[in-house]
Amino acid sequence: MAHKVERLKINYKTLEDFKRFKQYGQQELSMLEDLEANMIENDSESPFYGIYFGDKLVARMSLYQIQAKFDRYFDPPQDYLELWKLEVIPDYQGKGYGRTLVDFAKSFGLPVKTNGRVNSSDFWATMGFTPVTYEVERDRGENPFVWYPAGVKEQVH
Amino acid sequence: MAHKVERLKINYKTLEDFKRFKQYGQQELSMLEDLEANMIENDSESPFYGIYFGDKLVARMSLYQIQAKFDRYFDPPQDYLELWKLEVIPDYQGKGYGRTLVDFAKSFGLPVKTNGRVNSSDFWATMGFTPVTYEVERDRGENPFVWYPAGVKEQVH
């Protein structure tokens, strides 16, 4: 069965669903507070994309488009996507949900950059990502992996 | 017994010690390659600080000084420290090594910012850190915790 990726709306159900994910933090708490204080509308667009199994959210990630003028990873410099918080809840791991989300991120045709978590390098290699040449001023404690669409290569400094 | 914090030199022993830490990634591999290729000298300064138990490195962190012109967290805007890769190896956890490193970071008198890992909020609260007001354009998927020295407060946007 093909997994369908959906852009997640900010509402009470989504925020309740988010509690099942380990990377629940200040961002999710802030979304909840803004919703409760009517500072954002119910069903606002979010930077999150996810996959439902029935009505249960089982995988998610967030994507942010970074402007070309801030691009320090790709040649030629261009708009690219930062991928964060890729996570599949435990009972649903190993079924291709993570790959489906990453393929979705790649489908925009823009370069993609992520900060790989501990022991994730095999996963990112399987997804077609490569580690960047580490640069202390840019990367500090990050572990960046990038995906190059055709015609794009690493930015050399 | 007081734990002594040392600035770590880049050499083969340090890099061998680093393999015991979970957050071993592109940065550590790059340091090893640079050392092997004689691109950096043996015993070069590193951004890492650590604590030894006997001759065993049991805790580490890295610190980067960020220039005031890039400060988006503190008021007044100023140079501050970014703290990364705080980690105590498992058999030595719960003995105050983490606190000693964080206290050392605070001892420079500059504000400190870190990206808190999953379920680390209680630890950071105990260390006197507070979560920032989340801002999507600045923080994306990060979970920033900051420490304010006297006279410094949150930068409001």
Side-chain angles (χ1 to χ4, degrees), chain A residues 107-125:
Chain A
S107 73
F108 290 91
L110 297 176
V112 183
K113 179 246 164 183
T114 194
N115 177 20
R117 292 203 295 281
V118 168
N119 294 326
S120 69
S121 59
D122 288 350
F123 172 79
W124 289 112

Side-chain angles (χ1 to χ4, degrees), chain B residues 9-69:
Chain B
K9 303 279 189 187
I10 303 177
N11 56 44
Y12 288 104
K13 176 176 185 310
T14 301
L15 292 171
E16 192 61 32
D17 287 341
F18 278 179
K19 289 185 183 164
R20 286 199 207 92
F21 291 80
K22 284 200 313 184
Q23 294 180 86
Y24 185 96
Q26 291 168 33
Q27 181 177 20
E28 290 79 1
L29 288 168
S30 162
M31 288 162 77
L32 183 58
E33 282 169 13
D34 289 350
L35 192 63
E36 287 174 341
N38 295 312
M39 288 177 64
I40 51 172
E41 303 228 350
N42 194 44
D43 291 333
S44 298
E45 293 283 321
S46 84
F48 284 92
Y49 296 84
I51 302 173
Y52 289 92
F53 184 83
D55 67 349
K56 183 173 187 178
L57 183 69
V58 298
R60 70 167 193 180
M61 68 175 172
S62 57
L63 289 179
Y64 304 91
Q65 187 162 338
I66 310 301
Q67 293 173 271
K69 65 179 174 183

Side-chain angles (χ1 to χ4, degrees), chain A residues 59-73:
Chain A
R60 72 167 192 180
M61 68 175 170
S62 57
L63 289 178
Y64 303 91
Q65 187 162 339
I66 311 300
Q67 292 173 272
K69 65 178 172 183
F70 298 117
D71 179 8
R72 298 176 67 192
Y73 294 97

Side-chain angles (χ1 to χ4, degrees), chain A residues 22-23 25-27 30 47 64 66 82 84-85 115 118 131-132 134 136 139-145, chain B residues 22-23 25-27 30 47 64 66 82 84-85 115 118 131-132 134 136 139-145:
Chain A
K22 286 201 311 187
Q23 294 179 86
Q26 292 168 33
Q27 181 176 22
S30 163
Y64 303 91
I66 311 300
E82 266 192 16
W84 289 80
K85 293 194 176 181
N115 177 20
V118 168
V132 300
Y134 177 81
V136 66
D139 300 322
R140 299 171 195 151
E142 279 203 22
N143 213 22
F145 289 86
Chain B
K22 284 200 313 184
Q23 294 180 86
Q26 291 168 33
Q27 181 177 20
S30 162
Y64 304 91
I66 310 301
E82 266 192 16
W84 288 81
K85 293 195 175 179
N115 177 20
V118 168
V132 301
Y134 178 81
V136 66
D139 301 322
R140 299 173 197 150
E142 279 203 23
N143 211 24
F145 289 86

Side-chain angles (χ1 to χ4, degrees), chain A residues 143-154:
Chain A
N143 213 22
F145 289 86
V146 294
W147 176 74
Y148 303 106
V152 180
K153 60 188 201 308
E154 182 169 17

Side-chain angles (χ1 to χ4, degrees), chain A residues 63-95:
Chain A
L63 289 178
Y64 303 91
Q65 187 162 339
I66 311 300
Q67 292 173 272
K69 65 178 172 183
F70 298 117
D71 179 8
R72 298 176 67 192
Y73 294 97
F74 303 102
D75 179 17
Q78 58 198 283
D79 284 15
Y80 69 93
L81 296 177
E82 266 192 16
L83 190 162
W84 289 80
K85 293 194 176 181
L86 176 66
E87 185 175 342
V88 180
I89 64 176
D91 288 352
Y92 294 83
Q93 290 173 10
K95 299 177 197 299

